[in-house]
Amino acid sequence: MLLGLVDQSGVHVGPYAKTVEKTHPWWRVMCLTGVDYFSTLGYQPAIAALAAGLLSPIATVVLVVLTLAGVLPVYRRVAEESSHGSGSIHMLERLLPWWSGKLFVLVLLGFAATDFIITITLSAADAAAHAVENPFVPSWLHGNELLVTLVLVALLGVVFLRGFKEAIGIAVVLVVTYLALNLIVVIVAAAHVAGHMAVITDWWGALTAQHGNPLIMVGIALLVFPKLALGLSGFETGVAMMPQVTGRPDDTEENPAGRIHGTKRLLTTAAIIMSCFLIATSTVTTLLIPQKAFQAGGPANGRALAYLAHEYLGPAFGTVYDISTICILWFAGASAMAGLLNLVPRYLPRYGMAPQWTRAVRPLVLVFTGIAFLITIVFDANVDAQGGAYATGVLVLMTSAAVAVTLSARRKRQTWHAIGFAAISLILLYTTVVNVIERPDGVRIAGLFILGILTVSIISRVRRSFQLRATSVVLDANALDFVSQDAEEHAAIRIISHEPDGDSDDEYQKKSRAMRLYDHIPERSPIIFLEVHPADSSDFEEDLVVHGVARHGYRVLEVVSANVPNTIAAVLLEIRDQTGIVPEIYFQWTEGNPLSNMFRFLIVGVGEVGPVTREVLRTTERNPKRRPAVHVS
């Protein structure tokens, strides 16, 4: 179950964060992201018709304009600034430091979990709808969509428990086949419309009777287009797959220009293809399918294009189309599961806000599969009911991406870019708010995820507070020389903990005399000062580098860290391992109330440094003879 729990370095995050050995041309990676993005054609036209009615084509055009003029530029910028696939969440983490950034990331993770989990359940539910409505399927499956959906979700979990290997080859076949079949359906449907122009006249007559003149139609379309937000999914996944894109030979880790260029082509091409299909499919389905067929229980509900495939190309082609749709929808769930397995280990364990086992794939698969089961049962595998929750997750992530690039442009003093991205952020924020007001299920589910993540995070952070947090400790040449000299010449290493609030000669003299007096350190015994310089206390894991410096005739070990007691313990254990001598460390008692010091330790990483250091050492090293000694006076 814990296979894969191997990379503990703070430099690498997530089970998929290792160097990708084999990369692929951008168009192949586009197919991998496309199983999520393009698969929405399986249900988007039906949801659009249900949400906008006869206005579906006009509302879809508004959606396409927002996609190409707003969302696409945002994610092209994200690709530039997050070239290792970390996405907009990591950008915000960098732009919003300390606890504010961490808490914001945790909230976004709640919405991201909503997006990915609902992708799994919604795609499986729509795949079940396509399977059950096929004329060759046994009649006893009708009414058992929930059971079929649960089987598909369980099958997805089994695949990831077995091990999800390279999927790009499968994705290419699925996407090419699915888009080709959709193109055939659209061409045949368009030919039928061309041969029966009366359907256009009837549609326009009904539309003008309902909404009056074209300006009113556009205004109403602007109001209802938030309900069509499912057609915006896939961009975050596209950025996350960046490490898979083949770059140029001269690419470097600091400037992978070729990878960035390929990812931009990926995002642009996918957006253009999807935009064309969205407009074409919403038009032909609105013109050729009666509105009542889109209602719950209707033959076109959640499967508008499949309805046309069976209606105009026969049951044999329709069955092939259904199989293709079921496969790509199921594989879209696989893409979402992979996204979850990459996202959670990337942040929560590194923040100290999840147990270490969450770095492993299989336990998380069981957790996410169980949650998907629960969501499927709650929504009774209903595609329409889950649309709001899915749209909420998608829109919040896109809004956060727009805010991230706005802040980035402002920080770089790119005024016009900042203004443009701010306008996009406001549009996406409006869309998100309207979607939440009209369909609050999404924010309720996201709220439950956020509450769960925050609860687990607080409990985990407290429980892990006495763990060693350093993923690596390196002593530079001077530091190693200091401790090695004492170990070889005196067979003892005595270290004095010193707060780095003053570095004058008088400061070191006073501290040295006081510690020798009250802790009975022999006058001839050499001492080394250890100073922990503060960093972002919200960080949990870190790679420590200890520098040895000579200051006013005293030897000083300096290290930058977010947490003082845990860092001192890690340095002491590293000194022991490097020299073979168990070191001793000397502290002064900390002034202040013990309860307030406890909260200072949990929040800002200081407090009762001496006793907490001793507790960290006791928890880590069970053998008292090998445990560094702690003196407090």
Side-chain angles (χ1 to χ4, degrees), residues 13 86-106 108 346-348 350-351 404 407 411 536 538-539:
V13 287
S86 301
S88 58
I89 295 180
H90 184 60
M91 287 180 62
L92 286 169
E93 183 188 25
R94 294 199 318 264
L95 293 167
L96 300 172
W98 207 60
W99 283 106
S100 59
K102 299 294 188 298
L103 292 175
F104 195 75
V105 166
L106 292 179
L108 286 181
R346 185 183 294 272
Y347 294 103
L348 292 185
R350 184 162 56 90
Y351 290 177
L407 293 175
R411 178 170 290 187
D536 184 351
S538 64
D539 288 337

Side-chain angles (χ1 to χ4, degrees), residues 160-179:
F160 276 88
L161 286 175
R162 293 283 298 170
F164 190 72
K165 295 184 179 179
E166 184 58 72
I168 287 185
I170 301 172
V172 170
V173 173
L174 286 176
V175 167
V176 171
T177 303
Y178 184 66
L179 291 182

Side-chain angles (χ1 to χ4, degrees), residues 497 511 514-515 519 586-590 608-611 631-633:
S497 175
K511 188 65 172 282
M515 299 305 284
D519 283 302
Y586 299 83
F587 295 93
Q588 285 180 284
W589 282 112
T590 304
E608 295 280 6
V609 178
H631 306 271
V632 186
S633 66

Side-chain angles (χ1 to χ4, degrees), residues 98-99 461 464-467 469 497 499-500 531-540 542 544 559-569 587 590 595-613 616:
W98 207 60
W99 283 106
R461 185 94 180 198
R464 296 181 64 188
S465 58
F466 296 118
Q467 289 183 3
R469 302 185 184 185
S497 175
E499 290 188 28
E531 298 178 351
V532 180
H533 294 260
D536 184 351
S537 61
S538 64
D539 288 337
F540 189 84
E542 51 197 345
L544 302 178
V559 59
V560 177
S561 172
N563 186 280
V564 176
N566 306 66
T567 297
I568 292 175
F587 295 93
T590 304
L595 286 177
S596 64
N597 281 330
M598 179 186 70
F599 284 107
R600 287 179 66 210
F601 165 64
L602 293 174
I603 296 173
V604 296
V606 291
E608 295 280 6
V609 178
V612 175
T613 300
V616 174

Side-chain angles (χ1 to χ4, degrees), residues 323-344:
I323 294 172
S324 173
T325 304
I326 291 169
C327 289
I328 197 169
L329 285 168
W330 181 79
F331 213 69
S335 175
M337 181 70 84
L340 280 169
L341 296 175
N342 193 31
L343 199 62
V344 170

Side-chain angles (χ1 to χ4, degrees), residues 405-426:
V405 297
T406 302
L407 293 175
S408 174
R410 182 182 175 186
R411 178 170 290 187
K412 295 179 179 179
R413 298 184 179 180
Q414 298 170 337
T415 306
W416 289 109
H417 286 85
I419 293 173
F421 288 132
I424 297 169
S425 301
L426 291 174

